[in-house]
């Protein structure tokens, strides 16, 4: 239920993540965004680590069960 994909230079992870994941670590990659429907299948996701990615925006409405979100060293302009 935990998946660590940090520091792999991923641009996209669309097909890599199983839907029952609870903790997802994608820190220090090259992820700048995702399809709007991408997060809808992750109902169990409670911890998400996205620090060190060139993200500019993130919609909290896409993460109804999220309890922890880390965005350090990113380019976030809007939450």
């Amino acid at each position: 239920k935990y998946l660590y994909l940090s520091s792999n230079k991923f641009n996209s992870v669309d097909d890599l993540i199983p839907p029952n994941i609870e903790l997802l670590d994608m820190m220090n990659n090259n992820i700048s965004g995702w399809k709007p429907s991408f997060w809808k299948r992750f109902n169990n996701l409670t911890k998400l680590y996205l620090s060190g990615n060139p993200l500019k925006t993130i919609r909290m409405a896409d993460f109804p069960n999220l309890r922890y979100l880390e965005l350090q060293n990113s380019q976030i302009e809007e939450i």
Side-chain angles (χ1 to χ4, degrees):
K1 298 191 179 188
Y2 306 120
L3 185 58
Y4 298 93
L5 298 173
S6 62
S7 302
N8 284 295
K9 299 181 182 177
F10 286 126
N11 292 320
S12 173
V13 292
D14 291 350
D15 298 326
L16 297 176
I17 304 168
N20 65 338
I21 201 79
E22 293 177 12
L23 181 150
L24 179 57
D25 180 345
M26 295 191 298
M27 294 191 309
N28 302 314
N29 282 291
N30 195 28
I31 298 168
S32 59
W34 41 77
K35 298 175 191 173
S37 63
F38 176 69
W39 296 107
K40 303 262 186 241
R41 62 186 174 166
F42 302 108
N43 295 323
N44 297 326
L45 186 64
T46 58
K47 294 182 181 179
L48 180 59
Y49 299 84
L50 293 170
S51 297
N53 283 288
L55 291 168
K56 296 211 183 267
T57 185
I58 189 166
R59 289 177 9 107
M60 293 309 298
D62 291 339
F63 309 96
N65 297 316
L66 201 62
R67 301 287 179 251
Y68 182 85
L69 174 63
E70 188 172 301
L71 295 168
Q72 296 171 330
N73 300 319
S74 61
Q75 301 170 9
I76 292 291
E77 297 172 354
E78 182 180 348
I79 295 179

